[in-house]
Amino acid sequence: MATKYQNQYWKWYQERIAELFRKVKGAVVDEDVDEVGQDSKILRQLDVRVQLPLKIDLGSGFEIELPVKIIVDAKAHSQPLDVKDVEQIAGLKDDVRAHLAVAVSPQGLSTGGHERARALGV
């Protein structure tokens, strides 16, 4: 059972991560976002959602702006993230149609988790 202190730490941890992404020029950053998964059709909770405009200069005065969606999963675990954690984050990324998923953990990733993250683009 989580204590009041743990709940406050979790919120503080997530807010610090969101603050880092708010420093990115043009980023729109939201915390604790619920989105309906495109495949699951259920509400999925996103710790931090970052939306960035990607501008592509085609030359001769032509420019295209494409929205890029990044989800950030804040894992304040006491152990490194493992393969199962990484696969859960990758599944969330696919379900909400994010372009990129970022896993943030003070303990990093296990060797297997790191290899799986690389393979899944997390």
Side-chain angles (χ1 to χ4, degrees), residues 27-111:
V28 175
V29 180
D30 299 297
E31 296 176 58
D32 288 325
V33 177
D34 288 328
E35 276 191 26
V36 175
Q38 297 298 304
D39 300 320
S40 67
K41 308 296 186 221
I42 63 170
L43 279 179
R44 305 296 301 263
Q45 188 272 334
L46 309 176
D47 292 342
V48 179
R49 180 181 62 198
V50 181
Q51 297 177 87
L52 290 168
L54 173 64
K55 293 182 181 182
I56 301 172
D57 185 353
L58 300 172
S60 301
F62 294 103
E63 187 175 88
I64 297 174
E65 188 171 306
L66 304 169
V68 174
K69 181 165 68 171
I70 302 168
I71 61 169
V72 183
D73 210 19
K75 300 286 191 192
H77 293 186
S78 60
Q79 299 293 319
L81 301 183
D82 61 17
V83 171
K84 188 167 74 172
D85 296 316
V86 170
E87 289 176 343
Q88 177 266 325
I89 295 164
L92 178 62
K93 173 184 79 88
D94 292 344
D95 199 19
V96 299
R97 303 298 193 263
H99 297 96
L100 178 66
V102 177
V104 180
S105 170
Q107 301 302 322
L109 285 83
S110 68
T111 301

